[in-house]
Amino acid sequence: MTRHQPEPEPQRQPEPDTGRDPAAPAGRAAPAPDPAELPGGAAVEAEGIGLKGPRGWVFREVTVEAAPGSVVALTGASGTGRTCLLLALTGRMKLTEGEARIGGLRLRKQAAAIRRTAALAHVPGVDDLEPSLTVGEHLRERVLLQRRYGTAPLAALKAALRSPRQRRADARRVHDEALAAAGLDLATLPKGPRTAVRDLERLERLRLCVALALIGRPRLIAVDDVDLKLSAPLREEAWTLLASVAASGVTVLAVCGEAPAGLPGDVPLAVVVTDRATGARTAEDAPAEPAPKADDTDETEKETADALAETGRA
């Protein structure tokens, strides 16, 4: 009787690394991580960016470089495209030229992902508070919206599996952390959390807007008109607030009429000066220029308003 020797098994060649999760179905790449879950603040890197509206350039040749956890002050005369630049850097207005990266994400290609990491804290005309609602109602609404629409699918599934008591405790913790970071003490308000927004002082409104933005745990927040109609002491308090937010690791973009000389706690400060001549540039390169004529300012404000209207699509 002849014995048959078992045939040797063929050697398996190692599969090339395709960057795909082995557990994922064939032909489908593994999902990218949710940008909102990335640690730390978002670095801001922009070079030669510009935005053109129906009446011409709103801003042009903008260069910004800021590390995570910095405060970026966008300063300049009214109507020089400061708010449009703020919205563009948060992925809410489409650039015409140039390229930028926010937290490592390309602004032109990944604007939707940037919008999930960047929150608007106070941009009049875009995220206005409802004057008739109370402070508590605004906070509860934002917590509910964040839990329903602002959470990654996996995190939302985990939250759904928790008991109602745990979900309420998690919402209360996020609520309290945001209020503490914004320095808003509800006990000091005239009617506590039942105080209507119309009864808040301007600095209290700013603190509420910052608290609402921080509920989503963003990597970057954007604030418009930081120092508008504020006295010198209140202006200093506003910048101290933004510096404390940046010190916690969240990058801050702030539009202002006049940038501060420095921030408390040695928080990094980057200043971008916008003007009609070159669109925007760093404070070190900006020479002193005479005030613009009234006709030029009116025309510039029209251009900014036209471009600002386009942000509704985002």
Side-chain angles (χ1 to χ4, degrees):
M1 179 179 295
T2 304
R3 291 186 176 183
H4 295 280
Q5 297 293 335
E7 297 181 359
E9 296 183 359
Q11 296 182 353
R12 302 180 64 179
Q13 298 294 332
E15 296 182 359
D17 183 13
T18 59
R20 183 175 59 86
D21 186 358
R28 182 179 300 176
D34 186 5
E37 296 181 350
L38 297 176
V44 180
E45 301 171 331
E47 183 175 359
I49 63 174
L51 187 148
K52 189 175 184 180
R55 296 176 180 267
W57 289 98
V58 180
F59 60 84
R60 198 175 188 185
E61 300 177 5
V62 179
T63 298
V64 184
E65 186 173 356
S70 303
V71 174
V72 182
L74 309 177
T75 182
S78 177
T80 54
R82 300 174 303 171
T83 301
C84 293
L85 176 58
L86 183 80
L87 293 172
L89 291 175
T90 56
R92 288 164 173 85
M93 296 192 82
K94 189 175 181 180
L95 294 176
T96 305
E97 67 178 10
E99 184 56 273
R101 289 182 178 271
I102 309 297
L105 301 174
R106 297 179 61 186
L107 188 54
R108 284 180 172 271
K109 299 290 185 179
Q110 298 171 289
I114 291 175
R115 288 195 293 270
R116 291 197 298 270
T117 68
L120 301 182
H122 177 262
V123 183
V126 180
D127 67 339
D128 296 303
L129 300 175
E130 178 57 49
S132 61
L133 294 182
T134 66
V135 173
E137 289 170 340
H138 274 95
L139 292 168
R140 288 193 296 272
E141 179 189 51
R142 184 60 61 92
V143 170
L144 291 174
L145 290 174
Q146 177 64 26
R147 186 170 63 187
R148 177 64 178 86
Y149 299 106
T151 308
L154 181 58
L157 177 60
K158 292 180 179 179
L161 296 177
R162 297 190 182 100
S163 66
R165 177 178 297 179
Q166 289 176 324
R167 291 199 296 268
R168 287 194 296 269
D170 292 342
R172 171 58 62 179
R173 186 184 70 255
V174 173
H175 170 278
D176 293 342
E177 289 176 354
L179 287 178
L184 181 61
D185 187 0
L186 299 182
T188 62
L189 301 180
K191 297 181 181 179
R194 300 180 61 183
T195 304
V197 169
R198 66 166 65 94
D199 298 328
L200 295 177
E201 300 293 339
R202 181 166 180 81
L203 185 59
E204 293 172 339
R205 285 196 180 200
L206 177 61
R207 292 186 185 276
L208 176 58
C209 291
V210 172
L212 293 174
L214 293 177
I215 285 177
R217 296 180 177 177
R219 303 178 64 197
L220 180 147
I221 66 171
V223 187
D224 195 10
D225 292 335
V226 173
D227 54 0
L228 181 64
K229 298 181 180 179
L230 289 181
S231 61
L234 294 180
R235 193 179 304 124
E236 185 177 352
E237 285 189 42
W239 285 113
T240 300
L241 164 63
L242 299 184
S244 66
V245 173
S248 68
V250 180
T251 306
V252 179
L253 298 179
V255 170
C256 58
E258 181 180 357
L263 297 174
D266 294 330
V267 173
L269 173 66
V271 180
V272 176
V273 182
T274 61
D275 55 43
R276 284 293 293 160
T278 59
R281 51 194 169 193
T282 60
E284 292 77 4
D285 298 333
E289 294 184 0
K293 297 180 180 179
D295 295 341
D296 294 341
T297 303
D298 294 341
E299 183 68 19
T300 305
E301 290 179 350
K302 291 180 181 179
E303 296 175 4
T304 304
D306 291 336
L308 183 59
E310 296 181 1
T311 192
R313 178 177 300 178

